[in-house]
Amino acid sequence: MSMRLSLREEVEPPLCSSCGKIMHPREKGAIFNCPNCGEVTIYRDMYCRLQGVEYVCPKCGFVGP
């Protein structure tokens, strides 16, 4: 499976929305839109996802596990 990244993604890798660490492209994390507003992409690394670390949407303030 080939995945093309935009120039911005190549320069600025995604950060985990919970802990702020850089997510490796092959990491088994989660990428989804905010469940409340749907306008912000939330990135969660594998460790934060498994341990249920909270994240906050920067646009609407939604807090999720």
Side-chain angles (χ1 to χ4, degrees):
M1 180 176 168
S2 176
M3 182 167 60
R4 294 197 55 134
L5 299 175
S6 71
L7 183 58
R8 181 171 184 204
E9 289 172 325
E10 290 180 26
V11 175
E12 297 177 21
L15 302 176
C16 175
S17 298
S18 299
C19 68
K21 291 183 182 176
I22 294 174
M23 290 183 58
H24 189 275
R26 293 188 181 137
E27 183 173 351
K28 294 180 181 173
I31 302 171
F32 54 93
N33 290 334
C34 173
N36 191 41
C37 69
E39 297 180 25
V40 175
T41 303
I42 305 292
Y43 297 93
R44 306 225 20 218
D45 67 15
M46 178 178 59
Y47 304 106
C48 289
R49 202 182 91 209
L50 291 174
Q51 293 186 11
V53 179
E54 292 182 343
Y55 63 88
V56 178
C57 175
K59 180 164 176 102
C60 68
F62 177 80
V63 178

